[in-house]
Amino acid sequence: MNQENNIILAKPSGITLEQHVSDVVSEANMVLSSVPSVQKKYLDIVGKDLQKRLEIVCKLHDDGKKHPKWQNACKSDYSLFLEQKRINVNSNQVIPIGTNIMKAGIRHEFQSLFFNTRKKMPMALQCAIAAHHSKLSFAFESRWLNEGVAQIWKEIKKESNRVIEQDSIKETTKKFFEFAGLRGLLQFADHRASAKEEGVKVPNINGFEYTFPHTEKRGVQELIENYWNRDLLLVRAPTGAGKTDASLLWASKQIKNGRAARLIIAMPTRFTSNALAINVSESLSDTGLYHSSAWFSKFQNDINEGNLDFDYANKVHEFARLLETPITVCTIDHLLSALTLTREDHHLIGFNLANSCLVIDEADFYDDFTLANILVLLEILHEYKVPILIMSASLPESAVKMYRKSGYEIEGVIEDDSDNERTRFQVKTIKKYNDLTDIEDLLYQCIEKKTAIIYANTVDKATSIYKWFQEHNHPNINLILYHSRFTEPDKKRKENELINALGRKAWEEKRANGIAILTQIGEMSINISADYMISDICPIDRLTQRAGRLCRFDKNKIGEFHIIIPQKDNNLYPAPYGSFLLKEKKWKPCDALLHTIELIQHRGYSAQDLVVFIDNVYSRDFDFSESAKINAKLLKEHFIYNWLINPILKMEVDDEETVFWRSRNIDALETVFVTPPPQKYWDKLSYQAWKIANSIELPLYLVKRGEKDYRIDMFEVFIKGEPERIKVIRAGLYNYEIGIELINDKNDLFL
């Protein structure tokens, strides 16, 4: 009995402190052994041995649990745990475990610091221990002051302010790397050890492995191998040139030569992320996918069919969010948001990013708001010597000067010109239109040809075109409308329909049949093709991407391209390629759109012609708008001010803005559900899974209009006991064919 009382517990489940510490040390060593380049970079930047430091904090991080108050509470909870196991033999009664620890009035991480004050640990080690339960935050300042560690808190704030006052990215990045590596890896090892102790399966930690799957390398793939050792490589290659395998070849060079531990591919949208992750997985199985709806894309079907455990899927999803997979495909917004350091996990994400190589695929050059944010990202990554590859079919020469502002040395754009001279498409029509009657001749040709792709710049326009075909269509034509306002399950079904109708296999088997009506969601994410295309005008870099779906699978054909220019009241209607002026209540087109309209001609275009076109549109020295500059400055300030202590206000998972900063200059979006909740009380993970499968994101103005017209109702649900009010559209206003319809009549279109 006395021997039992002398045992020091780490958890109410009965795990001893000695065992738990051993487990955490073991996990930490395993993590570091899988990424030797991380230890080398830490030594180069910080001048300290990361493995030795990490082992110290792993051994000391839970010392505070030795405090008599904490131990007594834990042992009481352990007794409850044993009682629950006994009761559960004959009953489903659940006894809450951990309540005594919560009531003990003691934070063990604070006490761990207090117990080790005489050891005079370096500040980075102290902060790692302080942060391992996410309490190194101004939101918990009162607890620091009231639990006997006020002096330590004062010293931490002093170190934080010392770095902030230098107002230097160079100094901030160095100190962030030193501190974030320890705090992030300690938490990661601690969470993995705890999960294993509870019998929860966790993802394996694997290294990057890639074997080129083809017998011969194509133009862009050979270029990559010749120039892989440049710190920032700008590559221009036509659509369909094999850029995905080129990026994997490039990454394999970086990792093999110790320049990076893993690969991150940042895509412009979550939709393009989905498609690329599927493509990459064919060559590299251990691929993480992370964005706001990646859960459904990657896991939900397997969970529903019983092929995948829910808890394990959640761990894999978290693995990708933290950039721990050998290759992670995500959106650029995920990386930008992590720089705000407004959540504890941002520190590990930032540290992992600093130890990766990064591919930025198809950044929108007309979008100066996002580009200004990307420059901040590159400026920070330059301090860590992160290898960067920026690839696009529409990369202007002026990009060289712009990207040099990040500090990277860039010799110029490397171009795959192996297939540049072939005429790819012919612009047959350049035509203004106020309504669909002005372009009916083009729409009727789609029916005659039975295969076509139509791009509309707005969801309402795409929907109105779809409805026109419904009224004028023949029964043997396959109509597919695809835009962003479908639920995730329906998006996946739509993508499968598109591939089946107009994908490579459909053309090879001579059964292609379908008219695809798309918005920007279909510019890069869906590998489909048609010989006939109609497209709303857009900036030339976007137009190049759209044209890349013309005769995509047959180099012997020349695509037929019809460009239409939307008008409203006989004036150019540029949405979304511009800004809406609230005072004047009108749209102002972006310069790239106006230059594209000015320069587009009735003629044939090759890849080389498009390069010249893009350079002409973006030929001037690139200057960001004031709003883009101010927003980017705020991102840099977030990184500097929050480098050590998390702020009071934190971002939620998948948020892409703070109170002051935004990743993109787009209208605010709000979640609306397409069906009422099947239950009132939820645990957090189940609610998130249901939310992803049954909701859509709508512009705030559209939601307000729906509420005004009594088409959106409010429901109250409880998530972990906390009430939350959700918005649900009324029955009949959402369907698989069209998506959501919050319009009263044919003429009442939300633009």
Side-chain angles (χ1 to χ4, degrees):
M1 189 70 174
N2 290 334
Q3 183 179 0
E4 201 172 285
N5 285 334
N6 290 332
I7 291 175
I8 299 176
L9 296 181
K11 297 175 184 292
S13 61
I15 296 289
T16 66
L17 182 60
E18 182 181 12
Q19 181 62 54
H20 178 63
V21 167
S22 175
D23 292 341
V24 175
V25 170
S26 176
E27 288 296 320
N29 287 333
M30 183 179 63
V31 170
L32 283 184
S33 65
S34 69
V35 282
S37 64
V38 173
Q39 297 183 63
K40 182 180 182 302
K41 180 171 278 193
Y42 196 89
L43 185 63
D44 290 344
I45 293 177
V46 182
K48 301 291 182 181
D49 187 318
L50 176 60
Q51 186 166 20
K52 286 184 178 179
R53 283 185 145 199
L54 185 57
E55 186 169 335
I56 291 171
V57 295
C58 287
K59 288 179 177 178
L60 302 179
H61 77 289
D62 273 354
D63 270 7
K65 291 180 177 179
K66 298 174 183 176
H67 193 288
K69 274 189 178 181
W70 198 96
Q71 271 302 302
N72 289 336
C74 186
K75 287 174 180 176
S76 295
D77 283 330
Y78 179 46
S79 296
L80 284 174
F81 173 78
L82 294 176
E83 178 67 9
Q84 176 175 305
K85 287 182 70 175
R86 185 185 68 79
I87 291 175
N88 280 347
V89 173
N90 301 309
S91 170
N92 290 325
Q93 180 183 357
V94 176
I95 300 174
I97 301 298
T99 53
N100 288 298
I101 291 176
M102 292 176 66
K103 294 175 182 177
I106 185 170
R107 294 297 313 180
H108 74 269
E109 60 267 43
F110 295 166
Q111 289 303 312
S112 296
L113 292 173
F114 184 76
F115 285 171
N116 288 288
T117 50
R118 292 183 180 180
K119 294 179 179 173
K120 299 188 181 299
M121 282 188 292
M123 182 62 70
L125 279 68
Q126 293 186 56
C127 289
I129 293 172
H132 83 273
H133 279 287
S134 303
K135 296 298 185 294
L136 187 51
S137 165
F138 283 108
F140 299 97
E141 185 168 24
S142 61
R143 302 191 71 164
W144 280 88
L145 298 176
N146 296 327
E147 294 198 25
V149 285
Q151 183 59 35
I152 298 174
W153 175 248
K154 182 179 177 181
E155 293 299 317
I156 291 174
K157 285 176 64 178
K158 182 179 178 181
E159 175 64 8
S160 174
N161 291 333
R162 183 189 70 79
V163 175
I164 291 170
E165 287 167 4
Q166 293 186 49
D167 195 26
S168 163
I169 278 290
K170 191 175 186 66
E171 177 65 15
T172 306
T173 52
K174 179 180 178 180
K175 298 305 289 185
F176 169 79
F177 190 82
E178 177 183 2
F179 283 61
L182 284 174
R183 76 195 278 178
L185 290 171
L186 171 60
Q187 288 175 58
F188 187 64
D190 190 21
H191 291 169
R192 284 180 62 85
S194 295
K196 287 183 176 180
E197 289 163 357
E198 294 167 11
V200 176
K201 183 182 177 183
V202 296
N204 293 328
I205 296 176
N206 299 318
F208 179 96
E209 292 183 5
Y210 169 72
T211 302
F212 187 70
H214 310 292
T215 55
E216 293 184 2
K217 293 183 175 69
R218 299 162 69 180
V220 67
Q221 295 153 4
E222 290 182 344
L223 279 175
I224 287 293
E225 291 210 303
N226 293 334
Y227 295 97
W228 67 269
N229 57 352
R230 291 190 180 181
D231 293 334
L232 193 155
L233 184 60
L234 297 177
V235 174
R236 181 168 54 223
T239 55
K243 293 195 289 292
T244 299
D245 277 309
S247 66
L248 294 175
L249 278 169
W250 174 83
S252 64
K253 290 283 189 182
Q254 309 306 320
I255 294 165
K256 182 179 179 181
N257 286 277
R259 287 160 56 98
R262 58 184 64 84
L263 166 64
I264 298 164
I265 304 180
M267 302 294 288
T269 68
R270 57 184 175 160
F271 313 112
T272 52
S273 299
N274 289 346
L276 185 71
I278 293 169
N279 192 1
V280 168
S281 295
E282 295 174 359
S283 303
L284 186 68
S285 58
D286 199 354
T287 302
L289 173 65
Y290 191 80
H291 54 69
S292 60
S293 58
W295 173 276
F296 186 88
S297 301
K298 198 167 177 68
F299 306 116
Q300 195 63 50
N301 281 351
D302 284 337
I303 291 172
N304 292 342
E305 294 171 6
N307 299 325
L308 187 63
D309 177 72
F310 183 91
D311 290 332
Y312 179 68
N314 189 52
K315 292 289 183 185
V316 174
H317 193 55
E318 181 186 25
F319 219 53
R321 177 168 60 82
L322 297 174
L323 308 181
E324 285 287 349
T325 41
I327 172 170
T328 304
V329 181
C330 62
T331 62
I332 193 71
D333 308 82
H334 181 54
L335 306 183
L336 295 172
S337 298
L339 295 185
T340 65
L341 302 178
T342 49
R343 283 204 326 266
E344 181 58 41
D345 64 341
H346 285 162
H347 293 266
L348 181 56
I349 294 170
F351 182 74
N352 284 339
L353 177 58
N355 286 287
S356 303
C357 55
L358 173 64
V359 173
I360 299 178
D361 199 331
E362 301 293 356
D364 291 329
F365 213 75
Y366 72 87
D367 181 2
D368 73 326
F369 200 88
T370 303
L371 274 179
N373 280 327
I374 290 174
L375 274 189
V376 174
L377 171 67
L378 297 185
E379 184 180 355
I380 291 170
L381 296 186
H382 173 255
E383 296 298 327
Y384 301 128
K385 298 181 179 178
V386 172
I388 309 285
L389 170 62
I390 299 177
M391 304 181 73
S392 177
S394 52
L395 194 65
E397 290 293 334
S398 55
V400 175
K401 187 173 182 180
M402 186 199 71
Y403 284 124
R404 279 176 181 157
K405 294 177 182 178
S406 66
Y408 279 95
E409 292 185 8
I410 307 170
E411 296 183 33
V413 176
I414 305 302
E415 183 171 12
D416 174 10
D417 58 4
S418 58
D419 190 27
N420 264 17
E421 302 301 324
R422 173 174 61 88
T423 299
R424 294 173 176 243
F425 62 87
Q426 183 87 27
V427 174
K428 297 282 190 177
T429 301
I430 305 172
K431 185 177 185 178
K432 296 179 181 179
Y433 75 106
N434 282 278
D435 55 53
L436 297 187
T437 59
D438 296 333
I439 57 169
E440 281 189 336
D441 57 328
L442 301 178
L443 301 178
Y444 275 119
Q445 286 186 52
C446 294
I447 294 175
E448 291 175 11
K449 293 180 179 296
K450 297 184 180 180
T451 56
I453 297 174
I454 302 173
Y455 282 103
N457 287 346
T458 62
V459 173
D460 71 281
K461 190 67 68 178
T463 303
S464 64
I465 292 172
Y466 180 84
K467 289 181 176 180
W468 183 94
F469 278 108
Q470 283 185 315
E471 295 173 4
H472 299 80
N473 193 12
H474 299 293
N476 60 339
I477 299 295
N478 181 23
L479 281 179
I480 307 169
L481 174 65
Y482 184 50
H483 54 68
S484 60
R485 295 177 194 168
F486 288 102
T487 64
E488 293 306 316
D490 287 348
K491 283 175 187 167
K492 195 161 188 179
R493 283 178 61 194
K494 292 280 184 181
E495 291 175 4
N496 290 338
E497 276 191 51
L498 287 165
I499 295 294
N500 187 57
L502 297 171
R504 181 184 295 275
K505 193 172 181 181
W507 284 100
E508 289 175 350
E509 295 176 357
K510 302 187 185 306
R511 56 173 176 80
N513 176 24
I515 298 174
I517 304 164
L518 314 171
T519 57
Q520 291 86 343
I521 190 175
E523 286 178 354
M524 292 178 283
S525 58
I526 309 295
N527 193 21
I528 59 174
S529 177
D531 300 345
Y532 185 93
M533 180 178 291
I534 303 171
S535 175
D536 275 339
I537 192 68
C538 56
I540 183 58
D541 42 346
R542 295 297 92 219
L543 203 64
T544 297
Q545 289 296 334
R546 295 180 183 185
R549 268 107 195 110
L550 273 167
C551 305
R552 190 174 180 85
F553 310 129
D554 191 340
K555 291 184 178 182
N556 296 315
K557 291 182 178 179
I558 296 176
E560 187 174 337
F561 203 7
H562 300 271
I563 296 172
I564 52 179
I565 305 175
Q567 308 286 299
K568 187 175 183 181
D569 300 326
N570 292 313
N571 292 310
L572 174 65
Y573 182 67
Y577 303 107
S579 54
F580 187 73
L581 307 176
L582 289 174
K583 289 185 178 179
E584 294 86 345
K585 293 186 177 180
K586 67 177 183 180
W587 279 88
K588 179 185 177 183
C590 69
D591 289 342
L593 179 65
L594 293 176
H595 292 324
T596 300
I597 295 172
E598 178 187 345
L599 295 174
I600 195 72
Q601 297 177 12
H602 295 88
R603 52 163 291 190
Y605 283 90
S606 65
Q608 181 59 38
D609 295 326
L610 292 171
V611 168
V612 173
F613 198 146
I614 291 165
D615 284 340
N616 285 335
V617 169
Y618 296 107
S619 59
R620 294 170 296 179
D621 289 343
F622 200 83
D623 190 27
F624 297 123
S625 64
E626 282 304 309
S627 61
K629 290 177 184 176
I630 292 170
N631 187 70
K633 183 182 178 185
L634 288 170
L635 178 59
K636 189 182 294 188
E637 289 175 352
H638 273 309
F639 182 78
I640 292 174
Y641 294 157
N642 301 333
W643 79 271
L644 179 56
I645 305 175
N646 294 336
I648 293 176
L649 297 176
K650 70 174 186 177
M651 299 176 78
E652 295 300 322
V653 174
D654 292 325
D655 277 357
E656 294 174 355
E657 61 182 42
T658 68
V659 174
F660 307 104
W661 169 84
R662 291 187 292 170
S663 62
R664 295 177 185 269
N665 190 21
I666 58 176
D667 292 332
L669 298 176
E670 188 168 4
T671 300
V672 176
F673 292 82
V674 302
T675 186
Q679 60 195 59
K680 197 164 187 176
Y681 299 94
W682 298 83
D683 64 76
K684 191 170 183 179
L685 288 178
S686 297
Y687 175 73
Q688 283 299 117
W690 178 77
K691 176 181 177 180
I692 289 169
N694 294 279
S695 68
I696 54 178
E697 299 290 317
L698 292 178
L700 192 57
Y701 75 89
L702 192 55
V703 176
K704 291 185 179 298
R705 180 69 178 272
E707 291 176 312
K708 181 181 177 182
D709 292 342
Y710 302 103
R711 297 179 175 197
I712 295 178
D713 297 320
M714 300 294 296
F715 284 78
E716 186 175 62
V717 296
F718 290 84
I719 304 161
K720 291 185 68 177
E722 294 295 322
E724 182 169 325
R725 291 175 64 80
I726 64 174
K727 297 180 179 181
V728 183
I729 65 168
R730 294 196 171 180
L733 297 179
Y734 176 86
N735 61 71
Y736 174 74
E737 285 72 29
I738 289 177
I740 193 166
E741 287 196 281
L742 292 176
I743 54 177
N744 284 312
D745 57 57
K746 195 173 182 179
N747 297 316
D748 182 18
L749 294 174
F750 292 111
L751 301 177

